[in-house]
Amino acid sequence: MLDQEQGYVTADGRQIGGTVMDMRNITLRFGGVTAIKDISFDIREGEIRAIIGPNGAGKSSMLNVISGFYVPQEGQVYFRGEKRAPMRPYEVARQGIARTFQNIALFEGMSVLDNVMTGRLTQMKAGILSQALWRGKAEKEEVENREICEKVIDFLEIQHIRKTPVARLPYGLKKRVELARALASEPKLLLLDEPMAGMNVEEKEDMSRFILDVNDEFGTTIALIEHDMGVVMDLSDRVVVMDYGRKIGDGTPEEVRNNQEVIDAYLGVSHD
Amino acid sequence: MFYREAGDFKTSYQDDNQTFPIKFDRYRYYFMLFVAFAIIPFMINDYWVNAVFLPFLIYAIAAIGLNILTGYCGQVSLGTGGFMAVGAYAVYKLMTMFPEVSVLIHIVLAGVITAGVGVLFGLPSLRIKGFYLAVATLAAQFFLVWLFNRVPWFYNYSASGQISAPERTFLGEPITGPATEAWAAYLVCLVFVTLSAIVARNLTRGSLGRKWMAIRDMDIAAEIIGVNPLGAKLSAFAISSFFVGLSGALFFAVYLGAVEVGEVFGINKSFLVLFMIIIGGLGSIFGSFAGAAFLVLLPVFLKNVLVGGLGWPTDLAAHLEFMIVGGLIIVFLIAEPHGLAQLWRVTKEKLRLWPFPH
């Protein structure tokens, strides 16, 4: 089913392309603690890839390695076929990797629109003089990027709160605005750190729908961490399972569900 | 009643992006500009210019500068006085070294020089935040004042250690030095204030402003969406210092004419401008004006009422003034931490519905 060059076809018939992100033998240590031990996996063009595991398994650390917060002691990260040198998070962002956070990291003092517009900052190149006079490139750029942001705002159905300060919004909407900000940058790879944490069933359904729609309409490659097993199994094409910093399973939801090691990690195992 | 957005439809993003999207606001702004440029210059005398208008206008520029750094980019600075001194001494050196060049160019260049100095003292902000950064900028304040006191080259080896502005003209009209007419000084400052406010507004509503605000609100998230913290913080320091330098240059060249650095640009100045933006409103250009107006007008007002109106002795009035200003600052911090700009915003929200709130 899995072909290194050709990609594969998912259960619901979507064609998945070649490798976008390839993590090879990643090891990450904090002092004496080894957060990630020799993990390899890949993320392919157009797929929804989930990383799951019990608390403290190293999932968020993994995401932080991908987005450049942590530099692994061992192993290589390949993005779109090229080996990535250790770089700062903002350089990673400029390569086309966007992410959301487990506990929302929006800019509370700015309006929803301004928050979404920050997603376009990597594309805005007007010089300081043009900006100071609000003439030429700065003005043109502002309008062009506004159009892209408005599309995302329409898509995520947050038009009505466009000009509201983010601090005034309820939790569920903030999560959606954060997704909008990440989407506005038109990422090649979108990382979602627990997009459904702390939501009720209805909000989870909304969010799942948005994630599927994003993948479907923009063809965005998505890697997500999630605790809600039902959601993970429904949404994702392939799942990596981590436990104590090791990879204990990798495959389609069906394969992972029947993996003995995974079952042991989640349900516990008797030591006799 | 007047303050309505109903029926004022925006059909393009340009329209939606303008500074005053509401028609009434826009006309009020044009009206203010008209009054400031075409009416006030004919009505003012020396007292009004020196006691009210010049300090208000010049402090407004300084407050805009500090607001960009502190209100928009979230980097607390206590070095404003020191940076104003840089502007003042830069314009003094330029005026005496190149007397044939227009003083207006010197004032702008003084801002540019201050921007460079600001970037230098902004470098620690990459490593330290909050209170610790405030202390680092405090070091800038004391160091700069010490430097201008101790190195005679800066004050051209004058015996008194003071600097005094030579007379310079623009279109034949003196704008610095003792022969300056009140209205000329006023107009020079007004032009600089207007341009500063427009430039500051444009910068803060564009991509640079979003970078600053992103750093202010959450620096980690800012970095993850592609903002280089080094670039954002240093550009805030540069542009903030540019405006502060402008105000320092105007303060010396146009307003005071003669300056002794420790007295005029001491730590008090830094705190005064900081109070202005706190009372006026952090992260608001209008707030910079409101704060400057408040802290310039209040002492004048109190003095006129207490000494002029009630006939109290001057020293008693001066002491009372300290207490009242101090008390008001505390009241503001407790009752309206977002300053006069927020009060104004709330008023506008209410005006939108007035007189039929339902």
Side-chain angles (χ1 to χ4, degrees), chain B residues 30-223:
Chain B
Y30 293 140
F31 177 71
M32 292 279 288
L33 275 186
F34 175 75
V35 170
F37 274 97
I39 296 180
I40 293 180
F42 296 104
M43 301 179 58
I44 45 180
N45 55 24
D46 264 359
Y47 172 76
W48 275 93
V49 166
N50 286 324
V52 176
F53 283 106
L54 285 191
F56 162 62
L57 294 173
I58 293 169
Y59 279 126
I61 302 182
I64 288 172
L66 186 61
N67 222 333
I68 284 177
L69 187 62
T70 304
Y72 283 96
C73 197
Q75 314 294 310
V76 182
S77 166
L78 288 175
T80 318
F83 293 131
M84 282 176 82
V86 174
Y89 277 77
V91 82
Y92 174 65
K93 287 304 284 187
L94 288 168
M95 282 164 91
T96 48
M97 283 163 95
F98 309 101
E100 67 282 1
V101 180
S102 167
V103 67
L104 297 179
I105 294 173
H106 287 325
I107 291 174
V108 175
L109 282 180
V112 174
I113 291 170
T114 317
V117 177
V119 168
L120 199 65
F121 283 102
L123 285 173
S125 71
L126 306 171
R127 287 278 166 188
I128 51 181
K129 295 177 190 169
F131 277 125
Y132 304 97
L133 179 64
V135 173
T137 55
L138 199 61
Q141 163 76 44
F142 286 115
F143 171 74
L144 289 169
V145 168
W146 174 86
L147 183 74
F148 293 132
N149 249 333
R150 286 306 157 99
V151 181
W153 180 78
F154 286 112
Y155 49 85
N156 282 357
Y157 307 95
S158 77
S160 60
Q162 280 195 341
I163 54 173
S164 49
E167 181 172 307
R168 293 287 180 269
T169 56
F170 179 67
L171 302 177
E173 185 66 39
I175 52 176
T176 65
T180 311
E181 297 273 357
W183 62 266
Y186 166 80
L187 274 183
V188 168
C189 291
L190 185 65
V191 168
F192 274 106
V193 167
T194 313
L195 294 180
S196 299
I198 292 173
V199 166
R201 167 68 190 161
N202 285 343
L203 287 177
T204 50
R205 68 179 161 153
S207 61
L208 197 55
R210 287 199 195 95
K211 280 182 192 165
W212 293 336
M213 289 189 274
I215 289 284
R216 170 194 71 188
D217 286 346
M218 195 166 276
D219 48 358
I220 291 175
E223 207 174 342

Side-chain angles (χ1 to χ4, degrees), chain A residues 198-259:
Chain A
M199 288 185 166
N200 62 30
V201 177
E202 202 179 326
E203 287 170 331
K204 277 183 186 175
E205 280 171 356
D206 277 350
M207 193 48 111
S208 307
R209 182 164 58 83
F210 286 131
I211 292 173
L212 287 174
D213 282 354
V214 166
N215 178 256
D216 195 35
E217 286 203 18
F218 304 135
T220 311
T221 310
I222 298 174
L224 63 93
I225 292 178
E226 187 47 61
H227 273 297
D228 188 320
M229 279 307 128
V231 169
V232 170
M233 295 302 170
D234 281 353
L235 282 184
S236 46
D237 300 316
R238 286 192 299 150
V239 183
V240 180
V241 191
M242 292 176 70
D243 190 24
Y244 293 113
R246 293 174 305 117
K247 184 167 95 169
I248 57 172
D250 188 354
T252 61
E254 202 53 42
E255 287 165 10
V256 163
R257 206 190 313 246
N258 298 323
N259 181 327

